[in-house]
Amino acid sequence: MKRFHIQLLLITGIIIFSASVSYQKELPKIEKNTFTSAKICGECHVEIYNMWKNSLHAMSLEDPIFQAANIIAFKNSNGETKVLCIKCHAPITFWNKDYDLKQEITKEGITCDFCHSVTALNLNNRENPFKLEPGLTKNGPLGGLKSPVHKTRQLKLFETSEFCGACHDFTDQNNVTILGTYSEWKAGPYAKEGIHCQDCHMPRKEGRIVAENVKKSNVKFINEHNIQGGHSIEQVKKALKVEVKEVKRYPDKLKVFVDVSNVGSGHMIPTGTPSRKIVLDVTVKTTTGQLLKEQKIYKKTLVGAGGIEFTKDSEAMCNRSAISSDNRIKPKETRKEEFTFYIPQDVPVTVTAQAFYQYNPEIIQQIDINIEMGRDEKVSR
C-alpha cells in the first residue's frame, strides 16, 4: 500500500509539473532588450488591445489623411520632412531610427510598448523628448500589479498631460506654434484645476486589465485606449454650446445675440492642424419663405511668404510660417456674437444658430476609371 501511495504521489507531481510547463509555454514572450509587438500584448490584455487596435493611434501610419499630407510634404520639401512626420506617427523611430519603416514593430504606429516603455520626458528636447527603457518592465498609472510575464512599475507621468505634449505640440524653426494642443491646455483653466488630457480622452471604464484565463485580477477599471479626439463625432459635439440669447426687433431690422461657449474641451477649439475651423451659421427665416444668413468663422490662420494663407496640413508643416490671426475659442470661454438682419418689424421670423466643425483634408482615394474604347451599332429590320 505504501508503495502505491509513493507511485501515486510521483504521478501527481509529474502531472502538476507538466501542466505548469504547458502553462508557461502558453504565456506570451516579452522581448528583453527591445520592443514587444502589440499582438503579444493583446494575448493577455485583450480588452485594452481591442480598444487600441481601432484607434487612430494604432492607425497613425495607415490614416489616409496622414499618408497624403506626408507624401505631399516629403515631395515639397525634397525629403526634409521624412524624419519630422514619422517621429510622432511611428515613435519607435526615436529608438531604432527606422525611418524607412522596414521593421514590423515600427509599422505598428503608436504601439502599446512604445508608450509603456517611456520612463521620463524632457519637453525642451525637441529632437527626442522621450527617455525609453524597453524590455521586461512595463510602466503605467497603476500600482501594486503583478504579471506572470513581465515586471510592472507605477509612474505618475502616465496621468499627466506632459505625456501627450511630446507629440501634440509642434513648433517650427521660426518658433511659431503650428500645432499647440498641449500648450493650449497648459495655458488654460483645466491645467490649474489638475484636469489632464487623460481625464477626457482616456477616462476610466469597467473592464479587465488582463484576461481571466491568464490571471485573476482585482482591478475593476481600465483606461479607454481608443483615445477619442477630433475624429469622434461624440467628442466634438461635447465641446461646444450654441445659444440664441436674444432677438431684438426694430422698425426696419432685427439683431440676434448668440453665445458660443467652449464647454467641453480642455484646449482651444478647434485645435490641431490649422486647416480646421468652426463655422457659426445664423439664419433668419420669415413666414413668407425669405431666408437670410450670416456666418462667423473661428480658426487660426497661418501664412507664408507674401502673406499667402496655408490651407493644407502639408503646407503648414513644412514651410516657414507666421500667424496672421487666431480667434479660436479658449477653454471655458464664451463668445458673445451679434448679427444684424434687415427685416421689417411686423414680419414673424424663426432664428436658428448652428455651429459646424469643418475639416477638408487631402486624402489618397481610389477611383474608378471607365473609358469607352469602341462602339458599333447596327439596326436590322
Side-chain angles (χ1 to χ4, degrees), residues 94 119 152 183 257 288 304 316 360 363:
F94 281 112
T119 59
T152 66
S183 53
F257 299 87
T288 59
N360 187 32
I363 60 172

Side-chain angles (χ1 to χ4, degrees), residues 157-221:
L157 172 66
F158 281 75
E159 299 179 274
T160 69
S161 296
E162 282 69 25
F163 193 92
C164 311
C167 280
H168 288 274
D169 236 59
F170 173 66
T171 302
D172 72 2
Q173 59 267 48
N174 283 359
N175 208 32
V176 173
T177 300
I178 307 299
L179 188 157
T181 305
Y182 166 73
S183 53
E184 292 161 13
W185 166 84
K186 190 175 181 181
Y190 291 95
K192 298 178 179 64
E193 296 171 14
I195 299 174
H196 291 265
C197 304
Q198 294 88 331
D199 295 315
C200 293
H201 296 284
M202 297 186 71
R204 294 276 172 88
K205 59 171 284 186
E206 281 194 51
R208 299 186 187 281
I209 193 169
V210 64
E212 274 197 315
N213 62 343
V214 176
K215 185 180 185 298
K216 298 287 185 181
S217 173
N218 294 324
V219 176
K220 303 297 183 185
F221 291 87

